[in-house]
Structure formats: C-alpha cells, structure tokens
C-alpha cells in the first residue's frame, strides 16, 4: 500500500488541483475513457475539487457496459444448451439481458462458472473433455491478449471442445465516434492507461490531429487523474492538440510487443456493434480463420434479430457522455445494484454504479 499511498496523497493532489485551477481561464469539457478512472473520480470527489470550469464527462470505457444485448442473449442461450459449460468474468453474470441474466440461466440449470482468467477456462476444458467449454470473453485491448493466448494454448493441447464467444472491442474507434458525434461536447480526452500499456500511443496521434483534441494517457489513482487533467487543460489553453503520456511508469510508446503479437496472431480488427454507439468500423476483434475451430460464433451459429434497448434505461446517453449519471431520473429509484436497468449499474467499472456508490447521497 505504500506505493499506492504516493498516488493518493491528499496534499499532492491538492497542489495539482490548484495548478489546474490556475491554468484554466475558460470552461472545458474533458472525457475520461475508462470506467476505472470514473470510479476514482467519484470515489475521491475530484469533480468538486477541480471547480466548475472543468466539466468531466464519462466515456464508454467499460467492456461489460458496451457488450451488445444480442451477444448477451447468445451467451445465455449457449449456457442453456446441454453439455455446455459457460465460463466468464464475474461482472457478466448480473448484466440484464432481454430474457434475463446469466444468474437466471444458472438457476434454470445452466452450468455457468466465474473465472479469473481465460486460462482457467482452458484448464477446466482439459479436465473435462467430454463437455463443450465456452469462454465468454469481453474486454478491450487490455484483456484480449490473454484470450488470444488461451486460444493458442487450447490449440496446443488439442482441446476440440473449447471455444470462445469473443466480444472484445477496441478503444480508438469509440473515441473517433464520440468526436464525430454532432451532439458531442468533448474538448479533450484522458485516455485509458491500461489499454495504452498494451497498444502504446500509435493510434492516438492521428485522432488528436484530425479532431484538434488533446489526448492525455492517464492512470487510475487520484494523482494520476489530476496530473492528466492538468496536462489536458494546458494543451487546451495553448490551442495544442497532441498526445501526452501522463502515465509513464506503466505506458511506453510502443506498448507491450509480446501482448500485441499474441493479439494479432489470433484476432483481426472487424466492424462490430458497441452498445450505445452502434456498429463501429474496426471497433472490435474477430477470431482469425486459422483459429475458426475455437470460435463459438461458428461452432454454435445463431441468428438473432436486433434487440431494442429498454426504454427506461438511458445508458446509451451515459456511455456517449451526453447524460451525467446523477441527471438520470432512474438512478437510485428505478435502477439500483439489486434491480439494475442496464449494465452501467452492474459493472464494477460502470459509471452509474460509481455514482450510486459514491455520489448518490452527496
């Protein structure tokens, strides 16, 4: 904890906050991409500290939240098939789908298991080769390399009853969609540090230049976030729009070459739907044809009609930065962690969950 304490030091945070206030001469709207950053902002009350001239809006950086309803329904139907074991991360079990969540499927007899890593699912498949084991994989560029290595490991083991229902997505196309949105109001970004730990900063330079929006790679502790805000505000005030790395202890410009290589061996960019943002060109990752036997979409083909979002849930606006969670009339009333209307209230990285937990009573 001593290491973390350095980045949570209230005196250091207040010094940087004072610098942000001194650097700000006009209102700016800045979006933090990652839900982990949103939770830190809400938990430590950073919005109140930085003052009214800086408006923070919360982006779509929660992989659970942006997983489309159609994919959730595929996972639920897969889990209910005989001889199928569905493995996934714990957050996915309570995400409401159109016909219930995975906990409901488990209550109906489905074998749905929580794993901490994709390799846990591979090990389960090796121990129990008579049944089909499907890993329901979600996440950004951060978790996709681990899924890639799990598929490669399953291939090496010759596991012919292991497959992956992949719903991995890429962050830069989502940022492009937000910047292209005529209703958008984002002046600059705090980019997700963990994604850049894998991919580096190569994808961001063209975005920053084309949309005249500074992009600052930022970590997740209070000091990281305020440091990122200061770098972003200084660029905005100076009329600059460059990529800045405010998270150098974790992010190198080239990212992690080993993880990137694994990702590219198994996945290729594809046009995929994001919940709240629609289909984004090259917004996701598909399993390459070389690994088709491990693609659950091919092994268990399903044809689903588009599923409409529940009208009461305004997660689409929250994910695009158009609605603050505290301005949603359902927060804490019709939508709670016990009875969520949408994924942002369920996920540990969801913006609505952050505001319900840390700000609702403020």
């Amino acid at each position: 904890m001593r290491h973390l304490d350095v980045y949570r030091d209230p005196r250091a945070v207040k010094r940087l906050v004072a610098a942000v206030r001194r650097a700000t001469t006009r209102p700016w709207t800045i979006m933090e991409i990652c839900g982990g950053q949103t939770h830190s902002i809400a938990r430590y009350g950073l919005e109140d500290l930085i003052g009214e001239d800086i408006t923070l809006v919360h982006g779509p950086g929660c992989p659970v939240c942006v997983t489309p309803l159609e994919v959730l329904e595929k996972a639920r139907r897969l889990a209910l098939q005989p001889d199928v074991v569905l493995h996934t991360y714990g957050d996915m079990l309570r995400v409401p789908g159109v016909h219930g969540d995975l906990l409901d499927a488990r209550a109906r007899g489905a074998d749905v298991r929580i794993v901490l890593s994709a390799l846990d699912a591979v090990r389960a498949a090796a121990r129990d080769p008579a049944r089909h084991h499907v890993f329901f994989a979600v996440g950004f560029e951060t978790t996709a390399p681990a899924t890639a290595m799990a598929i490669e490991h399953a291939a090496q083991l010759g596991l012919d009853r292991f497959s992956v229902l992949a719903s991995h997505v890429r962050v830069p196309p989502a940022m492009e969609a937000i910047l292209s949105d005529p209703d958008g109001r984002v002046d600059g970004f705090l980019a997700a540090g963990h994604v850049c730990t894998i991919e580096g900063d190569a994808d961001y330079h063209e975005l920053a230049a084309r949309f005249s929006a500074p992009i600052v790679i930022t970590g997740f502790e209070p000091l990281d976030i305020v440091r990122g805000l200061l770098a972003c505000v200084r660029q905005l005030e100076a009329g600059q729009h460059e990529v800045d790395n405010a998270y150098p202890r974790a992010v190198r410009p080239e990212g992690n070459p080993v993880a990137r290589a694994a990702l590219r061996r198994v996945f290729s960019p594809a046009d995929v739907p994001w919940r709240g943002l629609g289909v984004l060109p090259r917004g996701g990752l598909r399993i390459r044809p070389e690994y088709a036997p491990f693609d659950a979409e091919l092994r268990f083909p399903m044809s689903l009609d588009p599923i409409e979002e529940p009208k009461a849930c305004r997660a689409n606006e929250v994910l695009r930065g158009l609605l603050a969670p505290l301005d949603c009339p359902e927060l804490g009333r019709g939508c709670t962690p016990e009875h969520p209307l949408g994924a942002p209230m369920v996920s540990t990285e969801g913006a609505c969950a952050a505001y319900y937990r840390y700000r609702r009573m403020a």
Side-chain angles (χ1 to χ4, degrees):
M1 288 300 292
R2 287 188 61 189
H3 182 68
L4 280 180
D5 288 345
V6 172
Y7 300 100
R8 296 176 182 177
D9 181 353
R11 290 172 297 181
V13 171
K14 287 178 181 177
R15 282 196 295 271
L16 276 180
V17 165
V20 173
R21 286 175 173 264
R22 288 195 300 272
T24 306
T25 65
R26 49 177 289 194
W28 298 108
T29 299
I30 298 172
M31 172 180 279
E32 85 278 358
I33 284 293
C34 179
Q37 294 166 335
T38 303
H39 274 252
S40 282
I41 289 167
R43 178 180 180 181
Y44 295 102
L46 298 181
E47 280 180 293
D48 295 334
L49 285 176
I50 61 172
E52 295 180 354
D53 281 343
I54 304 294
T55 300
L56 294 178
V57 293
H58 315 301
C62 165
V64 175
C65 304
V66 301
T67 302
L69 279 170
E70 290 84 354
V71 179
L72 293 170
E73 178 61 13
K74 284 181 183 177
R76 192 188 71 87
R77 293 188 185 190
L78 269 177
L80 288 169
Q81 290 195 21
D83 294 328
V84 167
V85 182
L86 187 81
H87 305 263
T88 192
Y89 300 122
D91 276 6
M92 298 306 298
L93 267 66
R94 294 193 60 244
V95 181
V98 66
H99 296 300
D101 56 29
L102 290 175
L103 278 181
D104 296 328
R106 181 190 271 179
R108 292 176 57 188
D111 192 345
V112 179
R113 303 179 188 178
I114 296 173
V115 293
L116 298 179
S117 80
L119 287 175
D120 289 344
V122 176
R123 283 190 279 268
R127 290 193 301 267
D128 179 22
R131 304 176 71 191
H132 291 282
H133 290 258
V134 180
F135 176 53
F136 181 19
V138 302
F140 299 119
E141 296 92 329
T142 322
T143 56
T147 304
M149 287 186 273
I151 290 174
E152 289 184 315
H153 189 48
Q156 292 164 0
L157 295 176
L159 299 179
D160 59 4
R161 293 197 171 191
F162 173 82
S163 59
V164 173
L165 178 62
S167 187
H168 286 299
V169 290
R170 301 176 63 241
V171 169
M175 294 169 67
E176 180 175 357
I178 289 166
L179 288 168
S180 303
D181 188 342
D183 296 325
R185 54 193 178 110
V186 175
D187 297 309
F189 280 107
L190 304 186
H194 51 12
V195 169
C196 299
T197 301
I198 302 297
E199 290 285 14
D201 63 11
D203 288 335
Y204 297 102
H205 293 277
E206 190 271 339
L207 271 181
R210 178 153 52 104
F211 292 98
S212 300
I215 298 174
V216 181
I217 299 169
T218 305
F220 304 90
E221 296 299 329
L223 202 62
D224 293 321
I225 291 168
V226 182
R227 184 176 289 147
L229 284 172
L230 179 58
C232 196
V233 167
R234 283 175 171 167
Q235 283 205 50
L236 289 167
E237 292 283 343
Q240 298 173 339
H241 36 80
E242 300 172 353
V243 177
D244 193 357
N245 183 5
Y247 196 34
R249 71 178 186 278
V251 174
R252 294 175 294 181
E254 71 275 19
N256 183 326
V258 174
R260 289 174 58 196
L263 194 153
R264 282 154 180 69
R265 285 195 301 271
V266 176
F267 291 106
S268 58
D271 302 350
V272 303
W274 281 53
R275 195 170 182 177
L277 297 179
V279 175
L280 299 185
R282 296 172 66 84
L285 297 166
R286 295 289 190 208
I287 296 173
R288 288 185 176 277
E290 304 93 284
Y291 291 97
F294 300 94
D295 190 341
E297 294 267 14
L298 301 177
R299 180 170 290 190
F300 304 96
M302 295 182 200
S303 179
L304 296 180
D305 294 329
I307 300 173
E308 290 188 10
E309 297 287 339
K311 292 182 179 177
C313 181
R314 300 179 67 180
N316 288 355
E317 296 167 77
V318 173
L319 292 170
R320 293 159 60 199
L322 302 179
L323 177 71
L326 287 178
D327 294 333
C328 178
E330 297 294 341
L331 185 83
R333 300 177 181 87
C335 184
T336 65
E338 292 77 21
H339 300 287
L341 290 176
M345 181 56 83
V346 178
S347 170
T348 55
E349 294 188 79
C352 301
Y355 277 78
Y356 182 88
R357 183 172 183 180
Y358 299 116
R359 299 295 303 276
R360 185 173 59 100
M361 301 305 293

